[in-house]
Amino acid sequence: MNKSLCLIGLGAAMASAALCQTAANKPAFEIADVGVSPRSVWVNVLANNLQGGFLRGDRYELKHATMLDLIRTAYGVDADKVFGGPSWLESDKYEVAAKTRPGTKPETLRLMLQSLLEERFKLVVKPDTKSVPAYLLTGGKDKPKLRDAEGTGGGCTRDLSIAGDTPLANIQCRNVTMEAFAAGLRRLTPATFENLPVVAQTGIEGAFDLDLQYALIPVGNAKPGTGGLFDAIEKLGLKLERGTSTQPVLSVENVNETPSPNPPGIETSLPRLAPAQFEVASIRPCDPHGPNISPRFESSGRVTMRCMFPSALINRAFGLAPFEEPVGRPKWMGNNSQPAYTLEAKAPADAIPSGVSVAQQQEIINEMILGLLKDRWGLKTHFEQRPMDAQALVATKPKLTKADPAGRTACTRQNLPGPGLMLSLICKNMTMAQFAEQLRAYDGMIFYPVEDTTGIDGAWDFTLTYSVQASLPRLPPLNGRDAAAGPTAEAPEPSGLLTFREALNKQLGLKLETHKRPEPVLVIDQINEKPSDN
């Protein structure tokens, strides 16, 4: 790689990924199992999201990862900073399991993943710069109201609270520069910024402690003057607005779709780790009509939750949709008197590595919750095939545009102004079979993979605009609701907004039909109404 390319345009973030290192001097995993992720596995994962990306003991794993996921993880960049590459870059999925020394630093793991991609997929990337859409953080009209940082450490966190019936978001940043603050905003609230970069252009130097609180309002309305995040930023004497920014990017010059074969005996060389378990856990009943707080990781391995129902914990532990009901739930789990519990627990010191994302923390916490359900509630389950109500994608009067076969196969979502959380779903070079596989990510009441029965061949471009708010099931009031009761049968008042399914029919000439077909379902064989004593 030309050295001059390594020194310009990439900035500190990509320089830390050591793009200029050659394959010969980069660190590498001791051994790695690389393969294609079976469709039968990942298609049943809600939203088909990437899992893993952190070290547990001596094992590093990535599951259901597209090549784009692998590249952005290896080089520590956002997905929108990766340009070019073949059409399958965002559609094919892979599994990676690798072995290295316990305690290996995240930046070294990234270099090891780079080595793996170069060796097993013949990946070649080149640093570049491009002018891209972005949100710009600038100084406001008044002098910024910023507190100088106190103490060490740093970073931004976000949690939720409730004032009356209004959900509030609370962002707390400690010892952050304006650049780190902008990156934290983008990481914590990506949908607010249409998944675009947030770039600091304040000219303010130094590190600060910042606190923001704002009402969780429809994302499409989260603009200045609506009482949302943008107004909270302005109260600090700063300003956020949409513009463009020249950003360092990666261009994909070569990558193979099929990885090279695994070394012999890989199954015995890479034994699976035992599931993560809490070291100690205190479970106490709480008022089921009070607000609940999902399990979250705090500090020193502490995990807490507030007023969660056992049914919600089961759905979390098995990755089910919020209103998906396992077969065999006992009667006490499906009525308004279902008990709720508060948890205070301690995870092992190495169970949740430092620096992992909130999503990665939740993966590990959900694994420990499953162990808690088995240990304290006596939960026993199995999966079996049963005839279930499942959806099929059907063509009525298709309204699709033939795709450029060289373009990437992907669907992206953009927030739109207006009421009802308006979204625009933009799909490129997408077959109907691929589109059907993604539909669970867009409709929360689809519990099983969607079957493509359109009979439409080829790849297509299309755009779908709908209201997330209109698409959601109608729920009882926020405070005091029974999370296990699920959506109500009461029809919502007409709003004029299109649900996802209505937009699918009116805008694309497609629709979802429900049919009985065999699907793997979770069956509860046993669960006690109360957990064992602390």
Side-chain angles (χ1 to χ4, degrees):
M1 183 180 289
N2 187 311
K3 185 175 180 181
S4 63
L5 285 173
C6 298
L7 297 177
I8 60 172
L10 281 182
M14 290 190 187
S16 67
L19 275 164
C20 300
Q21 293 197 37
T22 65
N25 63 20
K26 281 182 183 176
F29 294 114
E30 295 177 20
I31 192 168
D33 181 356
V34 182
V36 175
S37 182
R39 180 189 177 279
S40 60
V41 174
W42 64 257
V43 79
N44 284 291
V45 177
L46 190 62
N48 306 331
N49 287 337
L50 168 70
Q51 295 180 350
F54 49 85
L55 185 66
R56 290 257 311 275
D58 64 355
R59 190 180 181 92
Y60 178 85
E61 289 187 351
L62 285 160
K63 300 177 182 178
H64 323 310
T66 65
M67 181 52 63
L68 178 62
D69 290 328
L70 294 172
I71 292 171
R72 66 179 177 83
T73 302
Y75 290 93
V77 299
D78 293 324
D80 55 16
K81 300 290 183 66
V82 181
F83 284 78
S87 62
W88 52 264
L89 204 76
E90 294 184 60
S91 54
D92 289 9
K93 293 182 182 289
Y94 302 91
E95 307 279 310
V96 173
K99 182 179 181 181
T100 187
R101 292 196 311 273
T104 300
K105 295 181 178 179
E107 55 268 28
T108 304
L109 291 172
R110 287 197 293 271
L111 292 172
M112 290 177 169
L113 185 56
Q114 290 176 30
S115 297
L116 183 144
L117 296 178
E118 291 165 5
E119 177 186 354
R120 303 292 297 274
F121 291 91
K122 305 305 177 189
L123 173 70
V124 178
V125 295
K126 184 183 76 172
D128 202 351
T129 58
K130 288 185 181 291
S131 180
V132 298
Y135 276 86
L136 309 179
L137 178 68
T138 61
K141 297 179 181 178
D142 302 322
K143 182 179 179 180
K145 306 176 182 66
L146 307 175
R147 303 195 320 271
D148 290 337
E150 298 178 1
T152 59
C156 295
T157 59
R158 179 176 181 260
D159 60 25
L160 305 179
S161 60
I162 297 174
D165 285 335
T166 303
L168 302 173
N170 307 282
I171 292 179
Q172 185 181 78
C173 297
R174 294 293 178 263
N175 197 25
V176 293
T177 62
M178 288 293 98
E179 289 74 18
F181 178 50
L185 290 175
R186 204 260 187 173
R187 174 178 59 84
L188 294 170
T189 61
T192 302
F193 301 109
E194 306 165 62
N195 291 306
L196 297 178
V198 181
V199 181
Q201 294 184 349
T202 63
I204 300 172
E205 298 182 355
F208 306 93
D209 292 343
L210 306 171
D211 294 280
L212 300 89
Q213 184 179 76
Y214 57 95
L216 283 175
I217 58 178
V219 174
N221 292 341
K223 300 293 185 272
T226 61
L229 175 59
F230 285 73
D231 286 355
I233 295 291
E234 289 198 359
K235 289 179 181 178
L236 296 176
L238 303 173
K239 187 176 181 180
L240 272 169
E241 55 188 354
R242 206 175 190 279
T244 59
S245 174
T246 299
Q247 293 287 300
V249 301
L250 289 178
S251 293
V252 179
E253 296 197 323
N254 184 78
V255 62
N256 293 344
E257 188 171 11
T258 302
S260 59
N262 285 318
I266 192 70
E267 295 82 3
T268 55
S269 302
L270 272 173
R272 292 189 176 276
L273 293 176
Q277 301 279 343
F278 291 120
E279 287 184 348
V280 63
S282 170
I283 305 172
R284 304 188 313 276
C286 72
D287 179 4
H289 300 292
N292 62 63
I293 297 177
S294 299
R296 62 184 182 182
F297 176 69
E298 294 181 351
S299 59
S300 303
R302 190 166 183 256
V303 175
T304 63
M305 72 176 190
R306 180 179 176 185
C307 293
M308 291 284 291
F309 295 102
S311 59
L313 295 177
I314 290 173
N315 281 38
R316 277 182 161 274
F318 288 95
L320 306 181
F323 301 117
E324 188 173 351
E325 294 187 6
V327 174
R329 290 202 325 179
K331 290 182 179 179
W332 61 263
M333 194 180 284
N335 56 36
N336 291 327
S337 62
Q338 179 178 183
Y341 295 92
T342 289
L343 168 74
E344 292 183 357
K346 188 176 187 307
D350 59 349
I352 303 180
S354 61
V356 300
S357 68
V358 173
Q360 291 169 328
Q361 290 175 6
Q362 288 301 317
E363 276 185 52
I364 305 169
I365 290 172
N366 290 344
E367 186 176 298
M368 292 189 284
I369 285 174
L370 178 56
L372 195 70
L373 288 164
K374 292 178 178 179
D375 181 45
R376 301 291 295 275
W377 273 273
L379 177 68
K380 295 181 180 179
T381 63
H382 72 278
F383 281 89
E384 66 179 52
Q385 293 277 339
R386 292 198 177 192
M388 305 299 293
D389 287 339
Q391 280 69 42
L393 185 65
V394 177
T396 52
K397 296 180 180 180
K399 305 169 186 176
L400 309 168
T401 301
K402 199 69 177 175
D404 176 1
R408 277 199 209 163
T409 297
C411 287
T412 58
R413 284 178 279 193
Q414 293 183 359
N415 301 309
L416 300 175
L421 286 150
M422 297 299 298
L423 282 182
S424 181
L425 179 67
I426 304 169
C427 297
K428 299 288 187 182
N429 200 19
M430 183 75 60
T431 68
M432 289 296 97
Q434 291 168 329
F435 184 51
E437 290 172 347
Q438 296 194 7
L439 291 183
R440 290 189 72 198
Y442 313 129
D443 187 327
M445 296 306 291
I446 298 177
F447 302 143
Y448 309 103
V450 176
E451 181 182 6
D452 171 36
T453 61
T454 61
I456 300 174
D457 296 325
W460 307 88
D461 293 344
F462 48 91
T463 298
L464 186 68
T465 301
Y466 64 100
S467 163
V468 175
Q469 186 172 314
S471 302
L472 292 173
R474 188 173 174 83
L475 293 172
L478 181 64
N479 282 342
R481 76 167 185 243
D482 176 11
T488 67
E490 180 183 356
E493 296 179 2
S495 64
L497 301 174
L498 293 180
T499 68
F500 176 80
R501 296 192 188 206
E502 290 169 342
L504 193 67
N505 192 11
K506 292 185 178 182
Q507 298 171 12
L508 300 185
L510 306 171
K511 69 176 181 178
L512 289 171
E513 290 185 348
T514 302
H515 302 278
K516 289 282 187 185
R517 71 167 183 256
E519 290 290 345
V521 297
L522 177 66
V523 180
I524 297 178
D525 300 311
Q526 173 185 307
I527 184 170
N528 300 326
E529 186 170 356
K530 295 181 180 180
S532 59
D533 294 338
N534 292 318

